[in-house]
């Protein structure tokens, strides 16, 4: 806390006035960064005009964010900032994302909303696999290949589900 106060050029008492301990400070930083990140990525996704465009925007933003800020989030988690309240907040953001993508999937593929939500939840969850593979080989070529493979799975999977539901 002393280092934070020194870097901010404020007294330790002022830091303690806002944060009872190091954990609260780290949680506040994580919360702020996660909210900013979510809004930034959501804006990119909202600018897309199709579901495929939404998924493409999300994958690209995820790859970019991992390269730019992955270290920050990893450090915050390692320092103990990741807690139950933050997990709850993240799940709420994830539910919003699923609803937005599912609404678009329902419109484009004529799927019932509940079916679109199930499919979208699974497809969004598989972005973790894309990220793991990208972290193993952080090149533009690998990012492009992973994006295309992922989008082929997304579009192909949704088309198959749509055909089966007719």
């Amino acid at each position: 806390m002393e280092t934070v106060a020194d870097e901010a050029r404020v007294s330790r008492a002022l830091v303690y006035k806002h944060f009872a301990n190091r954990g609260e400070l780290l949680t506040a930083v994580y919360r702020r960064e996660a909210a900013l990140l979510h809004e930034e990525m959501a804006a990119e996704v909202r600018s897309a005009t199709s579901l495929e465009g939404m998924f493409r925007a999300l994958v690209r933003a995820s790859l970019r964010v991992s390269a730019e800020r992955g270290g920050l989030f990893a450090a915050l988690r390692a320092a103990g900032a990741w807690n139950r309240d933050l997990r709850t907040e993240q799940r709420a953001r994830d539910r919003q994302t699923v609803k937005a993508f599912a609404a678009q999937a329902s419109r484009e593929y004529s799927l019932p909303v509940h079916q679109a939500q199930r499919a979208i939840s699974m497809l969004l969850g598989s972005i973790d696999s894309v990220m793991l593979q990208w972290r193993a080989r952080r090149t533009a070529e690998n990012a492009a290949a992973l994006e295309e493979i992922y989008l082929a799975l997304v579009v192909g999977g949704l088309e198959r589900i749509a055909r089966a539901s007719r």
Side-chain angles (χ1 to χ4, degrees):
M1 298 294 269
E2 186 173 329
T3 303
V4 170
D6 290 345
E7 290 293 320
R9 299 181 208 264
V10 298
S11 69
R12 279 181 53 185
L14 183 59
V15 174
Y16 278 108
K17 179 179 179 184
H18 294 282
F19 307 102
N21 55 45
R22 178 178 178 267
E24 280 188 17
L25 174 64
L26 291 171
T27 297
V29 171
Y30 195 102
R31 179 174 281 123
R32 183 195 69 200
E33 291 300 314
L36 289 170
L37 177 63
H38 176 76
E39 190 48 46
E40 177 185 317
M41 292 175 73
E44 291 179 41
V45 168
R46 281 192 300 267
S47 70
T49 58
S50 68
L51 186 63
E52 182 177 349
M54 291 168 69
F55 272 102
R56 190 174 298 278
L58 184 64
V59 169
R60 288 180 179 174
S62 296
L63 292 168
R64 187 189 77 255
V65 164
S66 181
E68 294 173 357
R69 294 187 238 172
L72 170 64
F73 284 100
L76 286 168
R77 283 184 180 198
W82 189 237
N83 61 37
R84 183 177 37 167
D85 290 340
L86 292 174
R87 285 190 296 276
T88 300
E89 291 170 20
Q90 184 59 50
R91 282 193 297 275
R93 286 189 291 269
D94 291 346
R95 282 190 298 276
Q96 289 176 336
T97 302
V98 168
K99 284 181 182 179
F101 275 72
Q104 186 67 28
S106 181
R107 284 190 295 275
E108 283 187 35
Y109 291 91
S110 300
L111 294 171
V113 173
H114 71 278
Q115 190 174 22
Q117 286 180 336
R118 288 184 197 131
I120 292 300
S121 291
M122 294 175 77
L123 292 167
L124 289 173
S126 63
I127 286 180
D128 289 343
S129 296
V130 173
M131 301 309 296
L132 284 171
Q133 289 192 40
W134 181 78
R135 285 185 197 110
R137 203 178 80 199
R138 295 175 183 237
T139 65
E141 296 80 19
N142 191 35
L146 291 168
E147 178 183 326
E148 290 309 316
I149 291 166
Y150 178 70
L151 286 167
L153 294 169
V154 166
V155 171
L158 288 169
E159 286 175 351
R160 182 172 179 170
I161 293 166
R163 278 193 310 273
S165 69
R166 289 185 191 133

